[in-house]
Amino acid sequence: DTSSLKNIKEIILNNLTLYFLPMVNPDGAELFQRENIYNIDINRDALALQTPEGRILMESFKKIKPEFSFNLHDQRILYSAGDTNNPATLSFLAPAFNKEKSINTKRENSMKVIGALYKVFSKYIPGCIARYSDELEPRAYGDIFQSMGSSTILIESGGSKNDTEKQFIRKLNFTAILTALYMIADNNYEDNELSLYEDIPYNGEKLF
């Protein structure tokens, strides 16, 4: 109801400072591909920083020094939620910060937020949530940001039946981000067990 929304808004605004960065790869979005117009995968440019967009992203991160980072992507619609015939409508990841996939406080916070989101969204899209394997990708911004001390939450938008324009998934994204911001502002994500994150099935290729 209206009073609840007002309360959520006030808690977020009173406890958080939010920064929004626009689309990092507009070339690729227009061309429906990962790479930009020069065939450089910007999401693998976190070390080389060959692209102006990648440099702006890194410079902004270093200036802001965010406690939490939301790493938002589209993914192909063919991934399945584990070994099921269900599409992975939303996929999450708390990126690793080293090859050993260690868990420090920052990564633990990412896992707890994602686990809480999994618990909430399993009511709305049961069996359609997955997570990525957490092998270290040192060229990726999510892994770099996690290693630089920001609790990073990857959200990928996959597929949903009869939703070719991903309008339903847009609503899920909005709700997921709002829910996560509220949990962070209120610190109630800390009460979640890490086992919730571990319960999320991996992205599968059952639909390929």
Side-chain angles (χ1 to χ4, degrees):
D1 57 38
T2 305
S3 60
S4 296
L5 289 173
K6 184 179 179 182
N7 183 50
I8 291 172
K9 180 187 74 172
E10 289 177 350
I11 289 174
I12 290 174
L13 291 178
N14 289 336
N15 293 281
L16 301 180
T17 301
L18 306 179
Y19 294 86
F20 297 86
L21 274 69
M23 186 185 296
V24 176
N25 186 12
D27 298 349
E30 187 171 339
L31 296 170
F32 293 94
Q33 65 184 34
R34 285 185 63 99
E35 297 79 14
N36 69 358
I37 197 71
Y38 300 109
N39 290 316
I40 298 174
D41 184 345
I42 298 178
N43 196 42
R44 296 292 181 267
D45 190 35
L47 290 179
L49 296 175
Q50 304 172 82
T51 60
E53 298 95 338
R55 290 192 292 272
I56 289 170
L57 178 58
M58 183 59 75
E59 289 164 6
S60 299
F61 179 87
K62 289 180 177 178
K63 181 179 179 181
I64 296 167
K65 298 182 176 68
E67 288 289 323
F68 283 85
S69 298
F70 289 83
N71 191 4
L72 310 175
H73 296 264
D74 265 337
Q75 75 173 8
R76 288 182 293 171
I77 63 173
L78 295 177
Y79 285 107
S80 60
D83 191 33
T84 71
N85 290 321
N86 299 331
T89 302
L90 291 180
S91 294
F92 297 100
L93 177 65
F97 60 87
N98 60 16
K99 289 182 180 179
E100 293 72 32
K101 307 179 187 178
S102 303
I103 300 176
N104 60 6
T105 302
K106 294 295 184 177
R107 189 170 183 226
E108 184 177 292
N109 289 342
S110 303
M111 291 175 162
K112 286 184 174 181
V113 171
I114 291 171
L117 291 176
Y118 174 59
K119 183 177 180 181
V120 169
F121 281 87
S122 290
K123 300 174 184 177
Y124 302 103
I125 48 171
C128 295
I129 301 171
R131 64 180 163 119
Y132 276 90
S133 179
D134 59 353
E135 280 77 18
L136 180 70
E137 174 45 84
R139 302 169 299 160
Y141 281 95
D143 302 59
I144 290 287
F145 289 167
Q146 192 84 275
S147 72
M148 293 172 71
S150 181
S151 297
T152 303
I153 297 162
L154 173 73
I155 303 177
E156 298 247 7
S157 302
S160 183
K161 190 175 181 180
N162 301 320
D163 187 29
T164 54
E165 295 296 326
K166 298 194 177 186
Q167 296 302 314
F168 173 62
I169 300 179
R170 290 175 197 269
K171 293 180 181 180
L172 293 176
N173 267 266
F174 172 82
T175 309
I177 295 169
L178 183 66
T179 302
L181 291 176
Y182 175 67
M183 287 190 294
I184 293 167
D186 202 36
N187 288 321
N188 61 22
Y189 69 90
E190 296 177 346
D191 298 330
N192 290 286
E193 298 293 333
L194 289 180
S195 58
L196 274 173
Y197 180 83
E198 298 295 337
D199 287 343
I200 306 173
Y202 285 112
N203 265 324
E205 297 183 355
K206 193 77 180 292
L207 304 181
F208 275 52

